[in-house]
Each structure stands twice: as C-alpha cells, then as structure tokens.
C-alpha cells in the first residue's frame, strides 16, 4: 500500500513538472526548481487536507476516523482501562482486600486522601435508610398491596434472569434478551437498574445474584457508542445508590471507573458535553437527529446529582466542576421569556431552536435543579434561584387550563403554544410538590395546588388506567391521544412517581387508590407469561404487546409503587433524593461529613 501511494505521488509530481514552461530536462536550475515546487505543492496539499479536517465546525465525526481508539484523551483518567482489567481479573477476596482508588491526571488540587468514610456517612443520616421495620405499613390492605408489588418485581426479575440474563432488557414474548445501542457495549442494564429495588424490597437472594454479576461480569472496557445521559442515570446512578445503601466497596470501585470514562464528553469549546461518547476511545459527538449538532437540555442538564456524588466518593472536584460549568454558561446566556429551550450548541454556547418542553428533551433539567438544592442540604442557593425562576417562567408561558378545567403544561415553539402534554411531563406534579416548602412562603399553598392539579390531569389521561405517550387539549380533546402514534404505553413511571410524592407530602388517600388502579391495569394489560410488556394502543379493545420489559420498569415504576404502599420512613425524603431513574442518592451534609460526624442520631424517631 505504501509503495502504491508513493508511486501515485511521483506520477502526480511528474505530471505537474511536465506542465512547467521553459524548463530544460537537465541542469542544476531545474533540479532546484523541481525541489522547490515539490515542497510548495506538498505543503499546500497537507495544509488544505488537514485544515479542512480539523478546523471546520463540528468536525468530531471526521476526527473519530483518525484518532486511535486507544489514544489517551484530554480529561480522561490515565490507566482507567488497566485498573478495570485488574479489578475484573482479581478473585473476590483479593478484590475486596485491595483499596483500588481511581487516580486521575486531572486530580490537580485534590486532597491526596481519596478515601470516603462510609461509617461517618451513615452517622450523618437523620434516619435509618430502610426505616424501623422496612417501611412496613400497619394497615392490612396497604400491606397486602405492597406485597403484590413485591411479587410483580420478583416475577419480572425471575423471567429476566431465566431468559435474558446479562443482556440489557428482556423480550418477554419471544423469551430472549435485548441489547440495544444506548449503552456503548455495556451489558446488564436491568441488573444494575434493579440493585436498589431488590435491596429495598428485601429480595436478598435476587440482590445477591445481581451483586455477583456486577462484580464478576460487568465489563466496563466497552468500545461502543453510548448515550452519556442513559449511562449516567442508569449505570452511574444505579451503582452509586447500591453503594450508599449497602456499603459494598465493589460498587464504589466500579462507579469510579465508569465515571472517569464519561469525562471526555465535556471536551468541547463551551464545556457543554456532547450527547454520545465512545467509552473506549473517549471521542464524543452529537446525536445525528439533534438540530445543527446541538446538545439536549434534558441530557446535559441531568448530570448534576450523580457527578456531585462522584466528587464526594473520589475527593476529586473535577466532576463537580464539570457540571457547575454547565450551570455557569446557562446563567450567562439570554433565555427567551425566562425559558430554557431544548437545544444548545456545545460549540457556540447559543440556543439552536426555541422549542421548550417540560416533557421529553427538557424534563429532568428542571427536576435536577430543585433536587440539587435539596441534595445539598438546602445550601445550593444558585440551584434554588434557577429552579424557582424557571418555574415562574413556566407558569407564565406554559401552564394552561383546558375547557374542561384540567391544568396542563403545553409546549412552546418560538412563541406558539402546542397544546400537548407528554407522559414524560407527568413527573412535574411530583417535582412541584417537593419544592413547595422552599419557595416564597406565600406561594406554598399555590404550589401544592398546582402539583395536585397536574397530577389529577395525568390521572385523567389514564382512561383505561394506563395512559398514552402523549395527550392533547385541542380540537375538543381532553387529555386524550388523538394520534395513533401517541397511544402506546411502555411501562413508564412518571404518573406513578407523582402519586408517590403527592402521598408522601399530603397523605391524601386518593393517591394510593390511584396507584392501586395502575397495579391492576399493569396486571391486566401488561403481564404476560414471561414478564411484563408495554402495549401499542391503550385504547384498543384487544391488547397488542411491544415485547419489551424496560429496565426502568424495574428501577422506577415498581419501586415508586412499593414506596407508595410503604410507610414514609422507608427511604425518608429528609435523607434521600431520587435521580431521574429513581435511584436514591443521599443528601450531602458537608458540615457533618467534614466534622467529627455523628451530629445526627440516625435512630431518632419520626
């Protein structure tokens, strides 16, 4: 190949020289002229090719062709892959006995002591994580309903283990596994997503099987193209919560290796991460469908909770600095009517489109603002200000009343309202209620009422006790999917999530009744012989299943139902904040963790 290339170059040069007028084939002058022209020609060719390749806007896709898969990327921790190889090859005893600390080339200014004191952390909790009796309700009917949810989890898990073990999700109709392309070659999404659910429900045999698989088979040395968002909320969130609930050091080691693999996604001119990252090479790029190579608000805005905890565990501020830089840029740029559009250029730092949604593309950005404030033990005043300012803009521009009196959140497209609300936006009832106590005192009741109204609207969309992907409020429609493409239900948790929060903060019994309606509908419409499946049309008389048991059904839907029928001391909200995949992360009490510890009595009564 090299010989052929050389021959081609010589041929081109000879053709060029034949065209040079007035040059003899002999003499010193010709040879010097030839050398000079040759160098000039070659220099221009190289400059042209590589200049176009590396300096045109958003050329990361071309760079991926030339960058070595094993090349160390800026911001990536050196030796991460080797450390994980060592972890996987060690026996369990040896692995447990070694203190495998992630050492980062970007760990400048961090303390040399990277150990995290788990015992001190436990003393800083106000209450036991699992309550006095694992949240066991005293009411017999509620206890019976909780046991039913636990049985559903065991049924879903057992079938996953039987037919899809190690794959990302179960296909219950065909009884096989699904891998998908969101996780960059990572496997076992349902296992990692289920760790905390199994532990909380007391399904210890199943939890131990999951833990063993993570320890021996979760290979983080993948070289595929992963969604930064999905890997963060499912894998990073799942491993973090498993560590904080159990104290198992193996989970911490795994999550630190994975966390460092996500850092190169932030290597952009603005520090806004791109949506897709190759976990092996560290190269990143934007989704092909995202407008003008933009990053998505709900993706780069849904990293804060997990990255703060990565800094806590590693004693390395690099993770917190990355997400705080995102916040700094968002505070600097102009926001139309105080709203945050869904698309932002990671190159220029400007909005790409003025499409605003509290559902898909925007949703969890707002959720993470109020949750960042709560997780900081209410010390993150910047997050608090951003959240309540955003909520004010949402109320002024997006919150609407239907002719039938239903409160909903429309979408905003450059000043024009689209009177549609997605199932994903139904989390907002829970979001508004958890922030009701910390806004202006005179608005507390208003926020409680708004949360209740939104949750009621989402319940009304569940006309068959399960709701569509999106529903409309125009053309005479009232919380109804008018398009066939919006009628599917994929075991989503958002409506049930709001039921859980509304129950915790109001104790209105209707939310438990609505939750039980959902349980009965899941059993009737979604349970099949080998697991649970989404359905294609919530209005159809004859059920058509989509053959997918989503991992978030195990992580979110069933967990929120279990908590709905449990006492409030199971994962008390004073101590725990749920990430957007329902993985519980603890409130960070800096004053306690950095002091002597034990200033809180974790056995205190409610």
């Amino acid at each position: 190949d090299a010989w052929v290339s050389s021959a081609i170059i010589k041929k081109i040069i000879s053709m060029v020289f034949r065209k040079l007028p007035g040059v003899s084939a002999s003499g010193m002058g010709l040879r010097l002229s030839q050398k000079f022209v040759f160098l000039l020609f070659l220099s221009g060719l190289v400059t042209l090719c590589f200049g176009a390749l590396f300096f045109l806007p958003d050329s990361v896709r071309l760079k991926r062709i030339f960058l070595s898969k094993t090349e160390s990327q800026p911001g990536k921790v050196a030796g991460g892959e080797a450390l994980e190889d060592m972890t996987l090859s060690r026996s369990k005893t040896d692995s447990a006995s070694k203190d495998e600390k992630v050492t980062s080339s970007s760990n400048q200014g961090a303390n040399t002591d990277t150990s995290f004191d788990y015992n001190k952390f436990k003393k800083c909790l106000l209450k036991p994580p699992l309550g006095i009796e694992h949240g066991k309700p005293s009411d017999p009917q509620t206890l019976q309903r909780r046991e039913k949810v636990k049985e559903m989890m065991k049924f879903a898990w057992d079938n996953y283990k039987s037919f899809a073990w190690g794959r990302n999700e179960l296909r219950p109709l065909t009884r096989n596994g699904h891998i998908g392309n969101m996780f960059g070659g990572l496997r076992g999404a349902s296992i990692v997503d289920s760790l905390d659910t199994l532990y909380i429900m007391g399904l210890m045999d199943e939890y131990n099987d999951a833990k063993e698989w993570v320890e021996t088979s979760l290979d983080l040395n993948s070289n595929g193209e992963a969604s930064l968002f999905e890997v963060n909320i499912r894998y990073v969130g799942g491993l973090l919560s498993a560590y904080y609930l159990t104290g198992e050091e193996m989970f911490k080691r795994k999550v630190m290796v994975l966390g460092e693999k996500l850092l190169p996604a932030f290597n952009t001119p603005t520090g806004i991460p791109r949506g897709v990252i190759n976990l092996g090479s560290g190269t990143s790029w934007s989704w092909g469908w995202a407008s003008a190579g933009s990053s998505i608000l709900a993706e780069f805005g849904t990293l804060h909770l997990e990255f703060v905890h990565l800094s806590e565990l590693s004693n390395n501020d690099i993770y917190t600095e990355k997400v705080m830089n995102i916040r700094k840029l968002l505070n600097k740029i102009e926001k139309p009517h105080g709203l945050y559009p869904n698309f932002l250029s990671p190159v220029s730092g400007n909005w790409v489109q003025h499409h605003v949604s509290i559902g898909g593309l925007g949703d969890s950005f707002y959720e993470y603002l109020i949750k960042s404030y709560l997780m900081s033990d209410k010390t993150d005043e910047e997050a608090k200000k951003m959240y309540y300012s955003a909520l004010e803009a949402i109320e002024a521009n997006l919150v609407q009343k239907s002719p039938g009196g239903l409160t909903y959140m429309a979408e905003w497209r450059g000043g024009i309202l689209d009177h549609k609300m997605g199932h994903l936006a139904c989390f907002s009832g829970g979001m508004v209620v958890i922030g009701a106590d910390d806004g202006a005192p005179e608005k507390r009741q208003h926020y409680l009422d708004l949360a209740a109204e939104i949750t009621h609207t989402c319940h009304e969309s569940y006309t068959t006790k399960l709701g569509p992907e999106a529903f409309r409020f125009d053309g005479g429609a009232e919380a109804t999917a008018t398009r066939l493409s919006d009628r599917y239900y994929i075991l989503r948790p958002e409506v049930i999530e709001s039921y859980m929060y509304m129950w915790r903060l109001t104790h209105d019994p209707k939310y438990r009744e609505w939750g039980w309606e959902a349980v009965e509908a899941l059993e009737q419409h979604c349970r099949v012989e080998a697991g649970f499946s989404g359905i294609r049309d919530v209005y159809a008389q004859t059920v058509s299943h989509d053959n997918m048991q989503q991992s978030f059904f195990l992580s979110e839907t069933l967990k929120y139902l279990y908590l709905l029928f449990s006492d409030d001391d199971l994962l008390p909200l004073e101590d725990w904040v749920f990430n957007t995949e329902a993985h519980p992360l603890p409130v960070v009490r800096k004053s306690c963790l950095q002091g002597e510890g034990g200033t809180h009595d974790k056995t205190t009564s409610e």
Side-chain angles (χ1 to χ4, degrees):
D1 288 346
W3 182 88
V4 172
S5 299
S6 176
I8 292 172
I9 291 171
K10 289 178 180 178
K11 181 69 174 177
I12 292 172
I13 293 170
S14 67
M15 291 173 64
V16 171
F17 292 143
R18 280 195 213 107
K19 301 292 184 181
L20 291 175
V23 178
S24 166
S26 62
M28 184 65 70
L30 170 62
R31 287 195 294 273
L32 290 174
S33 298
Q34 283 181 333
K35 289 180 181 178
F36 176 75
V37 173
F38 168 74
L39 291 173
L40 190 64
F41 173 81
L42 189 61
S43 174
L45 183 64
V46 170
T47 302
L48 179 64
C49 292
F50 283 88
L53 179 63
F54 282 95
F55 294 103
L56 285 175
D58 200 22
S59 58
V60 69
R61 293 174 187 273
L62 294 172
K63 291 180 187 179
R64 290 170 53 214
I65 300 172
F66 293 91
L67 288 175
S68 167
K69 299 263 182 206
T70 58
E71 182 177 347
S72 177
Q73 300 293 319
K76 182 170 177 139
V77 181
E81 290 88 344
L83 184 142
E84 178 59 16
D85 283 336
M86 292 162 61
T87 302
L88 291 170
S89 64
R90 289 189 177 110
S91 68
K92 294 181 186 177
T93 304
D94 185 39
S95 176
S97 66
K98 299 288 185 180
D99 183 15
E100 296 174 23
K101 300 171 184 175
V102 176
T103 56
S104 172
S105 59
S106 58
N107 194 19
Q108 297 175 1
N111 295 332
T112 54
D113 178 14
T114 60
S115 61
F116 177 82
D117 191 336
Y118 185 78
N119 289 326
K120 179 180 282 190
F121 151 72
K122 288 196 299 181
K123 292 177 181 178
C124 291
L125 295 174
L126 298 176
K127 298 177 181 178
L130 301 185
I132 297 173
E133 290 188 74
H134 285 72
K136 182 179 179 180
S138 57
D139 174 53
Q141 183 187 60
T142 305
L143 177 59
Q144 183 181 16
R145 290 177 173 182
R146 189 174 86 144
E147 287 300 307
K148 176 59 185 175
V149 175
K150 182 176 179 178
E151 182 276 330
M152 293 166 70
M153 178 65 186
K154 185 171 178 7
F155 176 74
W157 174 263
D158 286 347
N159 280 285
Y160 167 78
K161 185 178 179 184
S162 296
F163 303 114
W165 188 244
R167 300 297 182 98
N168 285 325
E169 286 155 324
L170 165 68
R171 291 190 179 276
L173 300 185
T174 51
R175 303 191 181 199
N176 62 345
H178 171 72
I179 294 176
N181 56 6
M182 288 192 301
F183 307 121
L186 295 177
R187 299 290 188 265
S190 288
I191 297 174
V192 178
D193 252 353
S194 296
L195 283 164
D196 49 18
T197 308
L198 295 168
Y199 186 79
I200 291 161
M201 290 185 178
L203 294 168
M204 297 312 294
D205 289 342
E206 292 78 5
Y207 162 76
N208 285 323
D209 288 342
K211 182 182 75 169
E212 182 179 4
W213 185 90
V214 170
E215 186 166 14
T216 61
S217 303
L218 177 58
D219 183 4
L220 301 178
N221 292 310
S222 65
N223 200 36
E225 302 169 357
S227 162
L228 173 68
F229 168 77
E230 295 291 354
V231 169
N232 179 64
I233 66 171
R234 301 196 200 203
Y235 286 87
V236 175
L239 292 169
L240 283 172
S241 66
Y243 171 68
Y244 281 119
L245 287 171
T246 68
E248 290 282 350
E249 287 292 314
M250 176 270 296
F251 293 132
K252 185 176 79 170
R253 290 195 300 271
K254 292 279 185 179
V255 79
M256 293 316 306
V257 172
L258 182 57
E260 69 177 80
K261 288 176 176 287
L262 302 182
L263 288 175
F266 294 82
N267 293 339
T268 66
T270 60
I272 298 294
R274 301 185 190 273
V276 189
I277 182 167
N278 185 302
L279 295 174
S281 69
T283 54
S284 64
W285 58 99
S286 298
W287 292 108
W289 51 264
S291 179
S294 55
S295 295
I296 312 302
L297 180 68
E299 296 193 340
F300 67 77
T302 309
L303 303 166
H304 200 99
L305 303 184
E306 297 83 359
F307 272 51
V308 165
H309 275 291
L310 289 173
S311 280
E312 284 294 313
L313 295 186
S314 65
N315 199 29
N316 185 349
D317 289 338
I318 185 68
Y319 300 99
T320 300
E321 288 169 1
K322 295 296 186 185
V323 291
M324 292 304 292
N325 182 67
I326 294 173
R327 201 187 275 181
K328 180 180 178 181
L329 185 142
L330 291 177
N331 277 326
K332 182 175 67 175
I333 61 177
E334 184 180 353
K335 290 164 277 294
H337 300 281
L339 297 168
Y340 292 82
N342 293 336
F343 298 98
L344 182 75
S345 168
V347 176
S348 69
N350 296 321
W351 304 115
V352 175
Q353 288 184 359
H354 283 186
H355 172 213
V356 178
S357 170
I358 311 304
L361 305 179
D363 48 9
S364 46
F365 163 72
Y366 305 97
E367 172 191 356
Y368 270 39
L369 289 178
I370 185 59
K371 288 182 174 179
S372 293
Y373 173 66
L374 297 174
M375 197 182 78
S376 72
D377 200 21
K378 302 186 179 181
T379 62
D380 188 348
E381 291 294 329
E382 185 178 48
K384 177 182 179 181
K385 180 180 179 182
M386 291 176 69
Y387 169 73
Y388 288 106
S389 296
L391 185 56
E392 183 178 349
I394 289 166
E395 287 199 72
N397 295 281
L398 304 184
V399 174
Q400 304 289 310
K401 279 275 190 185
S402 73
L406 297 177
T407 300
Y408 63 97
M409 291 189 175
E411 298 191 6
W412 191 84
R413 299 178 186 274
I416 300 173
L417 286 181
D418 184 5
H419 295 274
K420 176 186 80 170
M421 186 170 177
H423 194 290
L424 288 167
C426 283
F427 85 97
S428 58
M431 177 187 74
V432 173
V433 77
I434 63 172
D437 283 344
D438 296 298
E442 66 273 13
K443 298 198 75 171
R444 179 181 183 276
Q445 190 58 50
H446 167 71
Y447 289 139
L448 290 173
D449 293 341
L450 177 61
E453 290 169 14
I454 294 170
T455 305
H456 171 71
T457 297
C458 292
H459 174 259
E460 290 301 297
S461 77
Y462 273 41
T463 51
T464 58
K465 311 309 177 189
L466 293 175
E469 181 70 4
F471 42 93
R472 302 195 66 85
F473 298 88
D474 50 11
E478 288 277 335
T480 303
T482 57
R483 301 172 183 172
L484 187 62
S485 59
D486 288 336
R487 294 182 180 180
Y488 61 91
Y489 172 72
I490 57 172
L491 307 174
R492 286 204 187 277
E494 289 79 19
V495 175
I496 293 164
E497 175 183 355
S498 285
Y499 293 167
M500 190 278 290
Y501 283 119
M502 292 302 296
W503 163 255
R504 282 278 181 107
L505 294 163
T506 71
H507 286 158
D508 187 331
K510 73 181 178 185
Y511 297 112
R512 278 183 164 171
E513 292 304 315
W514 291 355
W516 184 245
E517 288 176 1
V519 169
E520 292 181 316
L522 286 167
E523 285 284 289
Q524 180 181 348
H525 301 298
C526 299
R527 186 165 181 150
V528 294
E529 288 186 8
F532 286 87
S533 170
I535 56 179
R536 302 182 189 279
D537 187 342
V538 296
Y539 304 134
Q541 295 296 317
T542 303
V543 174
S544 174
H545 294 102
D546 68 6
N547 193 28
M548 183 68 71
Q549 180 176 284
Q550 304 280 351
S551 81
F552 56 69
F553 179 67
L554 308 174
S555 173
E556 299 185 73
T557 310
L558 294 177
K559 184 188 287 123
Y560 283 134
L561 283 169
Y562 190 78
L563 293 172
L564 178 62
F565 298 120
S566 298
D567 283 353
D568 294 355
D569 67 348
L570 180 58
L571 296 178
L573 298 183
E574 300 96 318
D575 282 327
W576 299 90
V577 171
F578 294 90
N579 86 338
T580 202
E581 190 80 2
H583 294 305
L585 300 173
V587 170
V588 178
R589 295 190 169 94
K590 288 282 190 183
S591 59
C592 178
L593 290 169
Q594 293 174 355
E596 292 299 316
T599 59
H600 302 289
D601 179 5
K602 71 171 190 165
T603 61
T604 54
S605 63
E606 293 184 40

